[in-house]
Amino acid sequence: MITLSSPVAFKDLQIDMAHGAGGKASRRLVEGLIAPLVGACEPLTDAACLTVGDVRIAVTTDSFVVRPLRFPGGSIGELAVNGTVNDLAVAGATPLALVCSLIVEAGTPTEVLQAEMQALGSAARRADVIVVGGDTKVVEHGKAAGLYITATGIGRVDPRASLSAGLVRPGDRILVTGHIGDHGITVLLARGDLDLAAELRSDTRPVQPFAAALIDAVGGGLRWMRDPTRGGLATSLNELARDAGLGIVLEEDQVPVRDEVRGACALLGLAPLHIANEGQFVAVVAPDIADLALRMLHAVPGGEAAALIGRVEAAPARTVLAVAAYGGTRVVDMLVGDPLPRIC
Amino acid sequence: MITLSSPVAFKDLQIDMAHGAGGKASRRLVEGLIAPLVGACEPLTDAACLTVGDVRIAVTTDSFVVRPLRFPGGSIGELAVNGTVNDLAVAGATPLALVCSLIVEAGTPTEVLQAEMQALGSAARRADVIVVGGDTKVVEHGKAAGLYITATGIGRVDPRASLSAGLVRPGDRILVTGHIGDHGITVLLARGDLDLAAELRSDTRPVQPFAAALIDAVGGGLRWMRDPTRGGLATSLNELARDAGLGIVLEEDQVPVRDEVRGACALLGLAPLHIANEGQFVAVVAPDIADLALRMLHAVPGGEAAALIGRVEAAPARTVLAVAAYGGTRVVDMLVGDPLPRIC
């Protein structure tokens, strides 16, 4: 008998782009090789929780390697802050401090670094977090791509937030804070490799105000949150289904997707559900407070497109099903492979 | 009038290897460009301190880009742990948790990554710290050099440790935990670019046992600690002289340096005082407990070569002077330029 909780085997002979894409291959690499060797034993979430004295703190780290460094709506410096504070936000934490470590390619113009440090500083002020330390390494020309930023965030977990896939129950409702796919498609188009243009901007922003609104309004009725970055909404929901041992029914017509994203995806053979986001989260709430939770998100500036997009069911367990308005059901898988390398 | 506390100007048009070497150019980059733009306003130390509830925690982050990935006595995975917990140790903190973010070059053999994750896990167990989270990004072949690791450590500051350059007084004594220069010279020789060989190993190790021995024995008599990594002992002492507004007199003959390091430095035109270490720290202690402190270091396994190497004087302020046994005095400057790129 094969069970899904058996250890994942990592048998690939070399590391490829897909292993960094946030989907199935990434999960195999992390669960099958990295986590057991480094001795990490906690479940994999956006942020780890530690208890220090009588305070629970959340810690998260992410390396940002996006190319190009600047794209409509944002840049790597801004992304490093928002991506990090968002991992804290979906853990129910308010950011206390950030540390940022830079790997700069020799020969990078000072004005490029300067612009990104400005973007990082502005984003930190907007997210109300202070940068308390950092490190800078320079590698030879050709051993990086301009600038890589690793940001680590430390936050204080709201004692009212009790968030875990284990708390999710059949009947619970699923919410998303806004349009999906904007970031991934924007970055892809900004590379200029494709003969496509669209009026799109990255959605990069701090999502803490949305998380705070939900915690304030519904407290314990909020079960779980995740920011669907690499791997997109489909991957986050599959992780939820797996971790909760439950099924997810996604009302695909209810998922907010801009026409430009839908169009680009259709041309490129991609699914919006697999495209990275940098300013959204998906949440599970108890059924009785779902409408209240949605109204709360709508009331936060930038939350106008928030939507209820599905529900949790007992079966089929560990599966995400998409249902269309006119009937038809299909299984939605995690991201496989890497259609969009280096999106964040 | 020019004062040393005036803002540092960063006027270089591009980022070069020297900006990552840990010496003067690094300081100009960080103080003249990065820190003001990102809004970091604290003095630059090995670790930032935060108060969470009634607990003081220290946070430090470092990117490791050493080449080759493996060298006699260690490897990048081990260095990432030791370098990070050592920054906590010299802040008077015991490590609570680490997070590690990887940037892997596509095409890297799995066995290379596996070996480094094993090294990282073993080093974490040896340093008695747990890895609670991480991130993995993959960049295209040619956009990194195998593997870069950014490690961030969180530690709990010992309430008995009150460490600051501001607490250093004339008459205080300076201690070092062991031989200097082993790491930098070992890595340089391991590259194989030079027609030189020596029986040397990196000194990479966790220094927490040494820091704990000093805090236990002399408490408030311990004023300041720093691990002299990039830029070497000379740079750390210059930073101390500058931050304390005092002078340092270094008895150069007392500084423990292996013959192999001295020989390689002589051939290469380098000074051992400028070479990176990964398993040592330099400390300032009150004069009345200096001998006790030295005995405590000697009693810790691996501390046999610890030595008293100098003293603090009121003048000449902000200067490090080296005195030789047979007379002769010279000014020891911070590292200028980058004789040894990518040493950690």
Side-chain angles (χ1 to χ4, degrees):
Chain A
M1 181 186 150
I2 296 166
T3 68
L4 281 166
S5 58
S6 66
V8 179
F10 186 82
K11 292 180 176 161
D12 303 349
L13 294 177
Q14 66 171 33
I15 308 304
D16 295 312
M17 296 304 290
H19 297 119
K24 279 193 171 175
S26 296
R27 197 166 251 269
R28 275 195 298 110
L29 174 63
V30 172
E31 297 187 359
L33 190 146
I34 297 173
L37 289 177
V38 303
C41 50
E42 293 292 303
L44 296 162
T45 56
D46 292 294
C49 281
L50 300 174
T51 301
V52 177
D54 54 359
V55 176
R56 276 176 72 219
I57 63 170
V59 185
T60 183
T61 193
D62 277 284
S63 288
F64 293 85
V65 299
V66 64
R67 72 178 169 93
L69 298 178
R70 315 219 108 199
F71 41 81
S75 71
I76 192 170
E78 185 177 358
L79 213 55
V81 172
N82 291 344
T84 304
V85 298
N86 288 352
D87 279 345
L88 295 176
V90 295
T94 310
L96 290 169
L98 283 187
V99 290
C100 294
S101 194
L102 312 179
I103 297 175
V104 190
E105 183 186 13
T108 298
T110 298
E111 60 186 355
V112 168
L113 182 62
Q114 190 164 25
E116 292 317 318
M117 294 302 98
Q118 249 152 9
L120 197 153
S122 303
R125 283 187 292 277
R126 200 160 50 245
D128 200 19
V129 61
I130 49 166
V131 179
V132 298
D135 182 39
T136 307
K137 291 292 189 325
V138 181
V139 295
E140 291 88 350
H141 188 65
K143 298 296 181 193
L147 174 65
Y148 300 146
I149 304 178
T150 302
T152 305
I154 296 168
R156 187 174 185 140
V157 180
D158 191 315
R160 296 170 300 170
S162 180
L163 302 169
S164 159
L167 299 171
V168 172
R169 296 285 170 265
D172 284 352
R173 303 290 300 277
I174 298 167
L175 278 163
V176 70
T177 50
H179 293 102
I180 65 160
D182 291 5
H183 177 74
I185 296 298
T186 299
V187 171
L188 189 69
L189 298 183
R191 289 192 192 147
D193 303 338
L194 302 167
D195 200 12
L196 267 182
E199 281 292 317
L200 267 179
R201 294 165 63 83
S202 166
D203 63 346
T204 182
R205 62 177 176 179
V207 297
Q208 218 267 327
F210 300 101
L214 287 186
I215 293 171
D216 285 346
V218 307
L222 177 64
R223 320 279 207 203
W224 177 92
M225 293 190 280
R226 185 151 298 173
D227 59 332
T229 55
R230 285 179 297 171
L233 188 62
T235 299
S236 291
L237 290 177
N238 269 280
E239 289 172 345
L240 170 62
R242 194 188 89 146
D243 296 347
L246 295 170
I248 307 290
V249 175
L250 188 64
E251 293 156 36
E252 203 163 0
D253 312 301
Q254 300 302 311
V255 178
V257 184
R258 292 184 204 278
D259 289 343
E260 293 84 351
V261 169
R262 208 181 289 281
C265 281
L267 282 168
L268 297 167
L270 301 170
L273 293 174
H274 284 133
I275 308 297
N277 311 281
E278 288 289 342
Q280 311 302 334
F281 66 77
V282 52
V284 176
V285 295
D288 55 315
I289 49 86
D291 291 325
L292 170 65
L294 182 62
R295 282 199 305 277
M296 289 295 140
L297 293 180
H298 282 162
V300 178
E304 299 76 11
L308 284 160
I309 58 170
R311 61 189 187 277
V312 179
E313 306 232 326
R318 300 187 179 84
T319 304
V320 179
L321 292 179
V323 296
Y326 304 107
T329 298
R330 64 187 178 89
V331 172
V332 177
D333 205 350
M334 293 176 88
L335 178 67
V336 178
D338 188 7
L340 302 171
R342 292 180 47 202
I343 220 73
C344 62
Chain B
M1 180 186 150
I2 295 168
T3 69
L4 281 165
S5 59
S6 65
V8 180
F10 186 81
K11 292 181 178 162
D12 303 349
L13 293 178
Q14 65 172 33
I15 307 304
D16 296 312
M17 296 304 290
H19 296 120
K24 278 193 172 177
S26 296
R27 197 167 252 269
R28 273 196 296 111
L29 174 62
V30 172
E31 297 186 359
L33 191 146
I34 297 174
L37 289 176
V38 304
C41 50
E42 293 293 302
L44 295 162
T45 57
D46 292 294
C49 281
L50 300 174
T51 301
V52 177
D54 54 359
V55 176
R56 274 177 72 219
I57 64 171
V59 185
T60 182
T61 193
D62 277 285
S63 288
F64 294 85
V65 299
V66 64
R67 72 180 170 92
L69 297 178
R70 315 218 108 200
F71 41 81
S75 71
I76 192 170
E78 185 177 358
L79 213 56
V81 172
N82 291 344
T84 304
V85 297
N86 288 353
D87 279 344
L88 295 176
V90 295
T94 310
L96 290 169
L98 283 186
V99 290
C100 295
S101 193
L102 313 178
I103 296 175
V104 190
E105 182 186 13
T108 298
T110 298
E111 60 187 357
V112 168
L113 183 62
Q114 191 165 24
E116 293 316 318
M117 294 302 98
Q118 250 152 8
L120 196 153
S122 303
R125 283 187 292 279
R126 201 158 51 246
D128 199 19
V129 62
I130 49 165
V131 179
V132 298
D135 182 40
T136 307
K137 291 293 190 323
V138 181
V139 296
E140 291 89 350
H141 187 64
K143 298 296 182 193
L147 174 65
Y148 300 145
I149 303 179
T150 301
T152 304
I154 297 168
R156 187 176 183 138
V157 180
D158 190 317
R160 296 169 300 170
S162 180
L163 303 168
S164 158
L167 299 171
V168 172
R169 296 284 170 266
D172 285 352
R173 302 290 300 276
I174 298 166
L175 279 162
V176 70
T177 51
H179 293 102
I180 64 160
D182 291 7
H183 177 74
I185 296 297
T186 299
V187 172
L188 189 68
L189 298 183
R191 288 190 193 148
D193 303 338
L194 303 166
D195 200 13
L196 266 181
E199 281 292 317
L200 267 180
R201 294 165 62 82
S202 166
D203 63 347
T204 180
R205 62 177 177 179
V207 298
Q208 217 267 328
F210 300 100
L214 287 186
I215 293 171
D216 285 346
V218 306
L222 177 64
R223 320 279 207 205
W224 178 92
M225 293 190 280
R226 184 150 300 173
D227 59 331
T229 55
R230 285 178 297 170
L233 188 60
T235 299
S236 291
L237 291 177
N238 269 281
E239 289 172 344
L240 169 62
R242 192 187 90 146
D243 296 347
L246 295 169
I248 307 289
V249 176
L250 188 65
E251 294 156 36
E252 202 164 0
D253 312 301
Q254 300 302 312
V255 178
V257 184
R258 292 184 205 279
D259 289 344
E260 293 84 351
V261 169
R262 210 181 288 282
C265 281
L267 282 168
L268 298 167
L270 300 171
L273 293 174
H274 283 133
I275 308 296
N277 310 281
E278 288 290 343
Q280 312 301 335
F281 66 77
V282 53
V284 176
V285 295
D288 54 314
I289 49 87
D291 292 324
L292 170 65
L294 182 62
R295 284 199 305 278
M296 289 295 140
L297 292 180
H298 284 161
V300 178
E304 299 77 11
L308 285 161
I309 58 169
R311 61 187 186 279
V312 179
E313 306 231 325
R318 300 188 179 83
T319 304
V320 179
L321 291 179
V323 295
Y326 304 106
T329 297
R330 63 187 177 90
V331 172
V332 176
D333 205 351
M334 294 177 86
L335 178 66
V336 178
D338 187 8
L340 302 170
R342 291 181 45 201
I343 220 72
C344 62

